[in-house]
């Protein structure tokens, strides 16, 4: 097991005169082991289940798994609704161009209201997602087990953690490319404040509208929610070593990187969606790690091979790669720190 973990948590900054040779030998052993012994190691089973949809919860995992599964089932509906979100741009433009035309004002209002109700559901879902993430973090970092032991023991929960990150990056990609969301909500708030329409019935009160406004003002609102939730989890669990959380995140990042850069593993990807899943999860855990680790993901002491992760992202043919690279550029905290090497900065330019 130690040899396998050494491969999966390899970092270019590890020292030792024979490390490169040892790493290549262990990596070769790992590939041989995987190909000819059908992933019989528990950790390799985790790697395989991590990208499949077959990780079933044990009896000990069932309670949390059921709680999170209900959230993940709703996540599919949320994504479908966001993907089909077209906005009320035409009605809003007509209302703005003819401010004294009451029928046009009412038409725009009637078009915007159900959309704002949908935006409210998205925001409320982010709160459920936050609770689900904190439940998983607690389960995957609690004593007496180390993070890698948790990932071996609770593979179904680790997969759910990955699915939350996959949803989060997917949601934010769709949100960033849909300006109608901000336009609709801005028009809604302006109309409420002016109160020019008779019998105005608002979908949200002022307090909720303020919270929603802050949420949608973020370029990546779901990722911001998860980053804040992870930071909150660490700050509220002061007796839990921060390494238990960051090691969990860095191990998942390493698993994804190894899966993406190793041909034997890549051959097991069944679709482009599986490739996207692996890339989104890797980027998601890097961003969470960078938010909660004192020196972040880009420092030389980081347990994440950032150079390797960035390189493997840039080698992928997916159209979503640039969005994921932008997430690393603009939603991490420590990229501009002095501890970040020029090489890594150059790779992300």
């Amino acid at each position: 097991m130690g040899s396998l973990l050494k491969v999966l948590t390899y970092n270019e900054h590890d020292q030792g005169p024979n490390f490169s040779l040892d790493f290549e030998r262990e990596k070769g052993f790992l590939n041989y082991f995987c190909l000819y012994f059908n992933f019989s190691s528990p950790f390799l089973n985790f790697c395989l289940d991590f990208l499949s949809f077959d990780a079933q919860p044990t009896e000990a995992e069932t309670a949390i798994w059921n709680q999170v599964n209900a959230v993940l089932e709703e996540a599919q509906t949320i994504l479908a609704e966001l993907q089909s979100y077209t906005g009320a741009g035409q009605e809003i433009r007509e209302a703005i161009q003819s401010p004294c035309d009451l029928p046009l004002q009412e038409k725009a209002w009637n078009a915007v209201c159900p959309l704002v109700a949908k935006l409210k559901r998205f925001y409320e879902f982010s709160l459920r997602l936050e609770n689900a993430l904190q439940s998983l973090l607690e389960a995957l970092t609690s004593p007496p087990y180390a993070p890698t032991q948790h990932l071996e023991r609770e593979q179904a929960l680790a997969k759910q953690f990955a699915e939350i990150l996959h949803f989060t990056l997917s949601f934010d990609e769709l949100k960033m490319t849909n300006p109608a969301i901000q336009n609709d909500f801005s028009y809604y708030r302006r109309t409420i404040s002016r109160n020019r329409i008779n019998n105005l019935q608002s979908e949200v009160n002022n307090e909720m509208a303020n919270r929603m406004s802050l949420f949608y003002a973020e370029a990546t609102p779901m990722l911001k929610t998860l980053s804040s939730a992870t930071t909150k989890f660490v700050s509220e669990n002061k007796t839990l070593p921060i390494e238990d959380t960051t090691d969990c995140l860095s191990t998942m990042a390493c698993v994804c990187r190894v899966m993406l850069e190793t041909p034997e593993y890549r051959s097991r990807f069944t679709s482009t969606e599986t490739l996207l899943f692996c890339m989104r999860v890797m980027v998601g855990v890097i961003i969470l790690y960078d938010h909660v680790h004192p020196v972040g993901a880009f420092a030389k002491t980081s347990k994440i091979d950032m150079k390797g992760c960035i390189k493997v992202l840039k080698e992928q043919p997916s159209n979503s790669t640039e969005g994921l690279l932008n997430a690393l550029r603009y939603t991490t905290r420590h990229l501009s720190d002095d501890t970040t090497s020029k090489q890594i900065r150059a790779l992300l330019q």
Side-chain angles (χ1 to χ4, degrees):
M1 177 60 68
S3 296
L4 302 179
L5 292 181
K6 180 179 179 182
V7 173
L8 290 169
T9 57
Y10 162 70
N11 187 296
E12 64 172 325
H13 303 294
D14 287 318
Q15 301 297 315
N18 298 317
F19 183 83
S20 297
L21 178 62
D22 291 344
F23 173 74
E24 291 303 324
R25 184 176 66 247
E26 297 296 352
K27 189 171 181 180
F29 169 75
L30 173 60
N31 291 335
Y32 176 88
F33 196 94
C34 295
L35 289 172
Y36 295 100
F37 292 91
N38 197 28
F39 289 82
S40 59
S41 160
F43 197 84
L44 293 176
N45 280 330
F46 159 68
C47 295
L48 184 60
D49 289 341
F50 191 70
L51 295 175
S52 73
F53 295 89
D54 300 324
Q56 297 300 313
T58 63
E59 185 176 351
E61 297 172 89
T62 300
I64 294 176
W65 189 91
N66 286 337
Q67 170 199 338
V68 176
N69 190 57
V71 176
L72 288 171
E73 286 179 349
E74 186 179 352
Q76 301 309 308
T77 303
I78 296 292
L79 274 185
E81 289 186 1
L82 179 57
Q83 198 156 19
S84 63
Y85 190 102
T86 55
Q90 181 64 31
E91 293 86 348
I92 291 172
R93 280 191 297 272
E94 291 174 353
I96 291 174
Q97 290 168 1
S98 304
C100 297
D101 190 326
L102 186 58
L104 283 180
Q105 306 305 310
E106 291 178 343
K107 179 182 178 183
W109 178 255
N110 291 332
V112 164
C113 279
L115 295 173
V116 170
K118 188 175 291 188
L119 295 179
K120 180 184 177 184
R121 286 201 304 276
F122 296 168
Y123 168 72
E124 290 174 336
F125 179 76
S126 75
L127 303 180
R128 295 186 61 202
L129 198 70
E130 178 181 356
N131 291 333
L133 180 83
Q134 290 189 326
S135 294
L136 288 174
L137 282 173
E138 184 175 353
L140 293 171
T141 60
S142 59
Y145 302 110
T148 50
Q149 290 175 308
H150 275 297
L151 294 176
E152 292 173 9
R153 291 168 55 88
E154 288 106 33
Q155 295 177 18
L157 297 186
K159 180 64 191 301
Q160 285 185 321
F161 191 101
E163 287 173 339
I164 284 178
L165 292 171
H166 175 58
F167 162 81
T168 297
L169 273 293
S170 301
F171 181 97
D172 287 346
E173 286 172 15
L174 290 171
K175 186 267 180 184
M176 282 191 291
T177 57
N178 195 338
I181 291 173
Q182 284 284 72
N183 293 339
D184 292 347
F185 194 64
S186 295
Y187 176 80
Y188 176 86
R189 298 205 72 185
R190 289 197 307 271
T191 304
I192 286 288
S193 64
R194 292 170 183 170
N195 199 21
R196 290 182 176 177
I197 302 175
N198 295 329
N199 301 317
L200 200 65
Q201 299 292 323
S202 60
E203 292 290 330
V204 297
N205 58 34
N206 284 335
E207 183 182 353
M208 174 63 77
N210 289 334
R211 293 201 299 266
M212 289 174 61
S213 182
L214 291 173
F215 177 76
Y216 287 110
E218 296 287 342
T220 54
M222 287 291 179
L223 195 53
K224 172 66 174 177
T225 297
L226 294 197
S227 298
S228 299
T230 308
T231 303
K232 181 181 177 182
F233 173 81
V234 170
S235 65
E236 290 182 349
N237 292 271
K238 297 186 184 301
T239 58
L240 183 71
I242 191 172
E243 291 79 13
D244 286 11
T245 302
T246 55
D247 285 358
C248 176
L249 298 172
S250 62
T251 301
M252 293 178 74
C254 291
V255 168
C256 290
R257 175 179 56 79
V258 170
M259 285 292 202
L260 287 167
E261 69 186 9
T262 308
E264 290 85 351
Y265 292 155
R266 281 290 301 274
S267 67
R268 294 174 179 266
F269 288 12
T270 57
S271 66
T272 302
E273 188 62 23
T274 306
L275 175 65
L276 280 171
F277 179 92
C278 194
M279 290 193 295
R280 285 171 179 152
V281 173
M282 183 177 73
V283 169
V285 291
I286 288 171
I287 292 169
L288 296 187
Y289 182 102
D290 193 63
H291 274 261
V292 300
H293 195 281
V295 298
F298 300 97
K300 288 184 177 181
T301 54
S302 167
K303 291 189 177 181
I304 298 178
D305 176 9
M306 284 304 305
K307 187 187 296 185
C309 290
I310 295 167
K311 283 182 177 178
V312 80
L313 275 179
K314 298 182 86 167
E315 290 168 358
Q316 306 311 315
S318 171
N319 293 331
S320 295
T321 300
E322 189 60 27
L324 295 174
L325 289 169
N326 282 336
L328 292 176
R329 291 177 185 122
Y330 305 122
T331 64
T332 49
R333 295 179 60 188
H334 295 279
L335 177 59
S336 59
D337 289 0
D338 293 338
T339 53
T340 302
S341 71
K342 293 180 180 179
Q343 282 184 313
I344 290 178
R345 289 181 184 171
L347 280 172
L348 280 176
Q349 285 180 352

